[in-house]
Amino acid sequence: MSSESDFNYSQLSDSMSDSYGSESEVSENDDSGDNTSRTWCDVSIDNPPPAPPRFPFQGTPGCHFTVNNFFDPLAYFLLFFDLDIMTSIVTETNRFSMQQARASTDTWELVSMEEMFIFLTICIMEGILHKPDEKMNWSRNELFITPSFGKLMTKKRFLSIKKYLHFSNTDTFDPETHPNPKLNKIWPIIEKLHFKFSSLYTPEENITVDESLLLYKGRLSWKQYIPSKRARFGIKFYNLCESSSGYLWNFIIYTGKGTILNEKYKDMPLTTQIVLTLIDPLLGKGYCLTTDNYYTSPQLADHLVSCQTDFCGTLRVTRRDVPNEIQSKKLKKGETVAMKRGKVLIQKWQDKRTVTMLSTFHSPKMINTKTRSGIEIIKPECVLDYNQRMGGVDLLDQHLHDYPVTRKR
């Protein structure tokens, strides 16, 4: 019996192409509705076949930088907000302030690089030492006094910098040629942070795609209301994070109908476009992606397998190409049913409610486990793995919640 590392992946790819067609054939079959060349087969629950081997991981995870002092938070901050980004912020803030000063009676003293660093320091401190009103940070009332703020910068100067804080030159903005017109005022910073996040660190094998909400209650045409999120109102992000640490490796800001996605995936469903746009640089390297039922679909699984990327996630049974046997099968509590096509497995399991999973590296194996209250229960192996790997974006939100520097408006 050969080991998993000795498995012939080129042979697997050929056999999969024979069983359910190439990527182009998948697209044609989806359009025509003919899936005879990609037949779903029943899988025995009592005697399940072995799980398909995972694609060999070819990434080089870890940090791609060095710092003199591993315990110095400022050293890590400067990796992302380096002199290039800070110079851009200082330049555009001074440019915008001078434009506004000419149109009003306000007087403005040009902000320096040192002042901008102090300004950001105070913003971070406000997230740690939260008070109902920002001006209370400079209060001399014995109940609220925090001397550090006054020593760093006067209240008047801080509010003045905050008033004119700017990130791009609006004079040169042309909506016809700009790569993302709706985000033009913050686009230079977004581009630089995109590059920083992906170049300074390579994630481990298990990664997660999910959405996150940045609190915002001001006027904005693409502001979202998601009652299940803590913020409820805000700007929606699609994030790709490392499952174990919550490190944000790539992100997309939702801007309504004009959300910018990768053009080469434009013929695919929207949720598939979002996932493939985020994971595109990592395809072909043996990563394992986990998503929830908003993104998971057989079509996405087929494409990821063709790019040597494993996939696992909860599935809506109403998705296109989900077999009728899975959609219509009624189960009693504890029962499960599974079907397979090539490397893609769909397993439906009845717990307190129906749970449907899709995976490219699991068998319908059932595992004995214990609940938080100590009660023994049998769960599908893919459900246990999903629960361990899906929390990457939630972990990121937890880290951000410790330092809430955002403002409602």
Side-chain angles (χ1 to χ4, degrees), residues 80 190 192-204 206-212 214 236-253 278 282 391-397 399-400:
F80 298 93
I190 294 298
K192 290 173 182 177
L193 289 180
H194 258 138
F195 174 76
K196 291 287 186 180
F197 291 161
S198 59
S199 62
L200 291 175
Y201 183 80
T202 299
E204 296 176 353
N206 297 312
I207 53 178
T208 304
V209 167
D210 200 1
E211 60 190 32
S212 181
L214 176 68
K236 185 164 68 175
F237 285 70
Y238 300 111
N239 296 332
L240 187 153
C241 297
E242 184 181 61
S243 296
S244 60
S245 67
Y247 179 84
L248 178 62
W249 193 83
N250 198 2
F251 65 92
I252 298 170
I253 301 177
L278 289 169
L282 301 179
V393 176
D394 292 335
L395 189 57
L396 168 67
D397 289 340
H399 294 325
L400 293 176

Side-chain angles (χ1 to χ4, degrees), residues 90-91 93-102 105-116 153-154 156-162 164-165:
V90 170
T91 301
T93 298
N94 285 325
R95 187 201 308 274
F96 180 70
S97 64
M98 296 303 294
Q99 292 172 349
Q100 296 300 307
R102 286 195 293 268
T105 58
D106 292 345
T107 57
W108 170 258
E109 180 182 348
L110 294 180
V111 65
S112 64
M113 181 73 71
E114 181 182 1
E115 279 186 308
M116 188 57 70
M153 183 178 288
T154 64
K156 182 179 179 181
R157 183 58 172 169
F158 174 82
L159 295 177
S160 180
I161 295 175
K162 184 179 179 181
Y164 294 116
L165 186 65

Side-chain angles (χ1 to χ4, degrees), residues 340-357:
K340 193 174 184 180
R341 184 183 69 187
K343 202 172 185 286
V344 181
L345 171 79
I346 295 180
Q347 183 174 5
K348 186 176 182 180
W349 172 59
Q350 183 66 39
D351 190 29
K352 292 181 180 179
R353 59 184 181 87
T354 304
V355 178
T356 307
M357 301 292 302

